[in-house]
């Protein structure tokens, strides 16, 4: 198109002074009759724009503010305000369109500039109009005399900062407090004052004059729509949205952004609206409402001309926005980053969270960019609000050329493919997945069917004991909570139960699995959105059945914490167990939506995160995706990550009150003067599903002085309070349960000792007072969180203590006596079953042998001091010749087998007892080595 277009004479004359614009002018004017016509009608304004050289500049928001402020300096009445606003708008629109069509601005810049243009027009108009109205009617104040101002909420594309070239602007007006005006000629209520002000603002922006208009203003999104008051107070808005707000209004409010008002008022409004828009739980109950919205969108696609509408038609801009906003409504309440407004940002976040595939997101983003640029070029031609592809051949070629295509056919082919991709993603969203399953249930209502019909149904499903299963279902249906379900909850339960019964019937232990599911169903009746989750997501339902069939522990956890059901949605990630750094990043993301001072919610989220991460480990464990050693590693790493986060919380709390201790370097745990030692299973990298944490706190008492805050305290006081705070954060029971049980009895002098040990005291105790069993415990001790320099000092103490020369016979006698005492009290082995932990030749015997070996021989074999876990110490015993290779492998294999079986006992919620045949001859082989080293067992 540009090849046949030639610049008119008047434009050639004007551009002669601006040769740098001449080439782009051909492209721009060929594609925009609006600019061509404006230049013809407003030669002085055109000259001013060109002379300002701003066409070649990237504007900031402050550039728009300054440019409009200069225009409004002499404005003294509404007529001149309207004139200056319109002239400013047209001049800036020419600049923005020019940069867009010339290829100097990408989509992000164009929509940012258009939104900034609208913002400054609203803000600066409102300042003048408010001043003029105050002069007549006085200042609006609340009951205490505080001045009130109008808050303008930008909705839709303006709210999101994504305005297009010819957008309406959707606005809602509100103000903080009721009251009345003061010091005016007459007294008005605040509402009447702001209604008058709001009308003046709409008129300043929207009314057509000889200079045109600034923006078309749409106020229909306000409470009660066109029949509602033009302006409402915060209280009135809150009352409306709490009692009458509809789901489509939640959808609309995602984009809401306060454009005017103080930062405090904006924050108050945001805090008020957020609970309406974003639920604190994952909102699967939204599915039906969203599906209705989707059906309304789909229903409009059949209207005449929609196939050419790139906004509202199939595969159009609205469908892309709907995809993103669906996930925002469902997940945004628990994932604060998803509460952002720009659609491209949201799509990237959905890919990061695996809520959409990278492939889908890339297709949607590519289509969005293409569709929005096409939209702008359609509108740039005549500055008209249209989203419809042109019909005339000349207009079609002009559009194709402005999009960089040589022909309409090539352009349309690309457009068609992109829209088809978008529509496919839109169609897949919220598809009713259980239609076939519902047909397969023969439409039985387990809530209303007779006993015989239900019994026959269970028999047809294949249950071995249908009567027992029927009793299980009847007990559920007789529960008080079930009988008092809301209509919505009852409908969801009616859909869920047949799906659940049929799915459970498909596993090998169906008659065991169905009863395990009933506590979960009872639990989610209290939050029926989770019933929707299972009905809407067959994959989640199938994973639920699979895990509950495999482990009553998992079914118990799911019933106790239904929020874990969210993890079943994606089987790909359910069985993935992240590495340490990734797990740490996930925890940071999980807490990112919370305010730093909301300790209650942070504590709940930490607990929830542990439950989620543990579920992933358990799921991978029962399906044998994760080997035993990795189970222990994962649960250990999880505890260490949580410990570090708890340290951060406790540290921030203590530092805010007392300041930093002398050794501290800011908030870096590596330089805090305290180290946390892990003993037992945590120290030995063998943490189990229900393990507590054996901890000892040590502080560096080589530092002198007090903390440096306004309320300084001695270091022993600071570090003791720090430890107390950590223990409180770990052990307090919240609605999310307990984070970890903490056992501090292994500290010097046990329960009677100091909660936090000075390093010198720790060393003295270990060297001079500790019992042999305490030195045995020290074998598995390691520093997991805290000061790195101090941790090395503690390791030096450990090395010195463990490598002290010992009389082996006396040591062997002490170890045997301790072990014999334990076995006598705890061993539950009988003629049929072997106690994996306490039986002769079991887990504890191997652990005691390893500990004896370290204490007896590390004085000459420092290799035994490197690691704290039993497997690697056994490897070291082989390398140092204390065990034959075959013996070392046997002990390691036996230890792994025992732990694996004990682990599965935990998952099955039964004691760690197995048939003697399961452990074969391992116990006797372990006993043989025990007898060689320590004598009789």
């Amino acid at each position: 198109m540009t090849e046949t277009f030639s610049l008119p004479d008047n434009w050639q004359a004007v551009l002669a002074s601006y040769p740098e614009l001449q080439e782009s002018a051909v492209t721009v004017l060929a594609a925009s009759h609006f600019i061509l016509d404006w230049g013809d009608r407003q030669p002085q304004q055109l000259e001013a724009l060109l002379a300002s050289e701003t066409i070649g500049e990237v504007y900031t928001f402050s550039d728009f503010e300054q440019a409009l402020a200069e225009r409004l300096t002499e404005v003294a009445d509404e007529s001149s305000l309207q004139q200056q606003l319109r002239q400013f708008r047209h001049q800036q629109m020419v600049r923005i369109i020019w940069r867009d069509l010339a290829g100097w601005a990408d989509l992000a810049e164009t929509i940012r500039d258009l939104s900034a243009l609208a913002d400054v027009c609203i803000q600066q108009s409102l300042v003048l109009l408010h001043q003029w109205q105050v002069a007549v009617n006085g200042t609006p104040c609340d009951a205490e005399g505080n001045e009130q101002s109008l808050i303008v909420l930008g909705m839709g594309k303006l709210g999101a900062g994504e305005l297009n070239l010819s957008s309406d602007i959707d606005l809602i007006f509100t103000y903080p407090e009721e009251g009345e005006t003061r010091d005016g000629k007459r007294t008005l209520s605040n509402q009447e004052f702001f209604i008058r002000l709001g009308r003046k603002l709409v008129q300043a922006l929207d009314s057509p004059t000889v200079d045109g208009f600034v923006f078309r203003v749409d106020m229909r999104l306000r409470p009660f729509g066109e029949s509602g008051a033009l302006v409402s107070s915060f209280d009135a808005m809150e009352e409306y949205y709490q009692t009458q707000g509809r789901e489509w209004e939640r959808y609309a409010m995602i984009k809401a952004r306060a454009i005017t008002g103080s930062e405090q008022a904006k924050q108050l409004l945001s805090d008020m609206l957020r609970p309406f828009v974003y639920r604190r739980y994952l909102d699967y109950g939204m599915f039906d409402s969203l599906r209705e919205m989707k059906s309304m969108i789909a229903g409009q696609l059949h209207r005449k001309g929609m196939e050419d509408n790139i906004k509202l038609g199939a595969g159009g801009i609205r469908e892309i926005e709907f995809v993103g906003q669906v996930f925002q409504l469902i997940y945004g309440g628990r994932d604060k980053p998803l509460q952002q407004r720009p659609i491209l940002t949201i799509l990237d976040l959905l890919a990061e969270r695996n809520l959409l595939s990278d492939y889908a997101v890339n297709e949607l983003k590519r289509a969005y960019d293409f569709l929005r640029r096409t939209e702008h070029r359609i509108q740039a031609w005549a500055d008209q609000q249209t989203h419809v592809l042109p019909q005339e051949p000349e207009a079609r070629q002009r559009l194709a050329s402005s999009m960089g295509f040589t022909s309409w056919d090539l352009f349309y082919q690309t457009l068609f493919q992109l829209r088809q991709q978008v529509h496919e993603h839109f169609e897949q969203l919220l598809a009713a997945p259980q239609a076939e399953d519902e047909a397969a249930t023969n439409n039985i209502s387990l809530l209303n069917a007779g006993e015989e019909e239900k019994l026959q149904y269970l028999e047809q499903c294949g249950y071995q004991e249908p009567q027992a299963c029927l009793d299980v279902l009847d007990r559920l249906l007789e529960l008080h909570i079930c009988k008092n379900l809301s209509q919505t909850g009852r409908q969801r339960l009616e859909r869920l139960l047949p799906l659940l019964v049929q799915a459970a019937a498909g596993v090998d232990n169906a008659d065991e699995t169905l009863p395990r599911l009933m506590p979960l169903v009872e639990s989610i009746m209290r939050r029926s959105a989770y019933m929707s989750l299972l009905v809407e997501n067959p994959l989640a339902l199938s994973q639920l059945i699979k895990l509950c069939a495999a482990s009553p522990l998992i079914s118990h956890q799911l019933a106790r914490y239904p929020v874990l059901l969210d993890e079943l949605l994606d089987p790909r990630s359910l069985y993935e167990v992240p590495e340490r750094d990734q797990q740490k990043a996930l925890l940071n993301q999980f807490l990112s939506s919370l305010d730093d001072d909301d300790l209650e919610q942070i504590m709940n989220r930490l607990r929830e995160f542990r439950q989620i991460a543990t579920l992933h480990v358990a799921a991978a464990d029962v399906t044998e995706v994760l080997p035993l050693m990795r189970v222990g590693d994962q649960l250990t790493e999880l505890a260490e990550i949580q410990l570090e986060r708890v340290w951060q919380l406790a540290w921030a709390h203590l530092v805010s009150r007392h300041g930093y201790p002398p050794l501290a370097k800011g908030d870096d745990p590596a330089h805090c003067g305290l180290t946390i030692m892990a003993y037992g299973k945590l120290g030995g990298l063998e943490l189990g599903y229900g393990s507590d944490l054996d901890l000892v706190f040590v502080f560096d008492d080589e530092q002198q002085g007090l903390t440096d805050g306004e309320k300084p305290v001695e270091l022993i006081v600071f570090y003791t309070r720090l430890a107390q705070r950590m223990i409180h954060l770990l052990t307090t029971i919240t609605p999310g349960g307990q984070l970890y049980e903490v056992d501090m009895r292994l500290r010097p002098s046990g329960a009677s000792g100091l909660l936090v040990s000075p390093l010198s005291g720790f060393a003295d105790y270990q060297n001079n007072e500790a019992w042999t069993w305490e030195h045995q415990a020290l074998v598995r001790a390691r520093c997991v969180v805290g000061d790195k320099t101090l941790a090395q000092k503690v390791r030096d103490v450990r090395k010195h203590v463990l490598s002290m020369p010992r009389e082996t016979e006396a040591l062997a006698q002490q170890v045997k006596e301790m072990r014999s005492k334990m076995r006598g009290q705890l061993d539950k082995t009988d003629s049929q079953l072997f106690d994996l932990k306490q039986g002769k030749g079991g887990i504890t015997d191997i652990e005691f042998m390893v500990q004896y070996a370290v204490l007896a021989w590390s004085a000459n074999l420092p290799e035994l001091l490197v690691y704290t876990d039993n497997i690697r110490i056994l490897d070291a015993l082989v390398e140092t010749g204390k065990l034959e290779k075959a013996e070392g492998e046997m002990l390691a294999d036996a230890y792994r087998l025992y732990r694996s079986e004990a682990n599965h006992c935990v998952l099955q919620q039964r004691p760690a007892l197995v048939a003697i045949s399961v452990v074969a001859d391992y116990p006797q082989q372990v006993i043989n080595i025990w007898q060689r080293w320590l004598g009789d067992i």
Side-chain angles (χ1 to χ4, degrees), residues 560-741:
R560 190 176 178 189
Y561 306 111
V563 69
L564 297 176
L565 291 172
D566 304 326
E567 302 305 306
L568 308 183
L569 288 170
D570 186 358
R572 295 170 303 173
S573 63
L574 174 60
Y575 302 100
E576 287 179 358
V577 181
E579 297 298 328
R580 186 188 188 104
D581 289 345
Q582 186 184 358
Q583 190 81 284
K584 200 170 181 178
L586 288 171
L587 177 59
N588 291 336
Q589 177 185 313
F590 198 71
L591 299 175
S592 65
S593 64
L594 302 177
D595 295 329
D596 291 340
D597 58 356
D598 192 350
L599 183 62
E600 180 182 352
Q601 281 304 309
I602 292 172
M603 290 172 68
N604 275 327
R605 283 292 185 92
L606 284 170
R607 285 149 177 76
E608 188 178 323
F609 185 82
R610 183 201 173 187
Q611 293 152 12
I612 289 171
T614 303
L615 175 65
H616 281 257
V617 174
D621 187 2
V622 298
T623 53
E624 299 184 348
V625 172
L626 200 64
L628 167 73
M629 300 305 291
R630 289 292 297 139
V631 171
D633 289 347
Q634 286 292 330
L635 295 175
T636 298
E637 289 175 4
L638 173 62
E640 291 176 15
I641 290 167
Q642 297 266 27
L643 267 176
E644 184 173 342
R645 179 53 70 117
V646 167
W647 176 89
Q648 291 172 355
L649 293 170
W651 180 262
H653 176 78
L654 267 295
V655 165
S656 69
R657 283 156 176 75
H658 305 300
Y660 292 95
L663 276 180
K665 295 182 180 178
D667 298 320
D668 183 359
H671 303 283
C672 70
L674 177 87
T675 188
I676 302 171
M677 297 181 68
Y679 281 69
K681 286 186 168 60
L682 179 60
L685 304 170
E686 298 172 354
L687 211 62
Y689 291 109
S691 299
D692 57 10
L693 305 184
D694 295 297
L695 302 178
V696 171
F697 295 88
V698 179
F699 79 95
D700 194 337
D701 55 337
E702 292 181 6
Q703 55 183 323
Q704 302 294 322
L706 306 174
T707 59
D708 64 2
E710 294 182 3
K711 297 179 180 179
V713 293
E714 294 182 357
L715 301 184
I716 183 68
V717 174
F718 178 87
Y719 289 117
T720 298
R721 290 179 181 176
L722 180 66
Q724 289 170 335
R725 184 74 173 177
M726 287 189 67
I727 293 169
H728 168 75
L729 294 172
L730 289 164
T731 60
T732 298
I733 297 173
T734 75
Q738 189 178 52
L739 190 54
Y740 288 98
E741 182 67 54

Side-chain angles (χ1 to χ4, degrees), residues 121 516 563 633 803:
C121 288
R516 292 178 188 173
V563 69
D633 289 347
S803 61

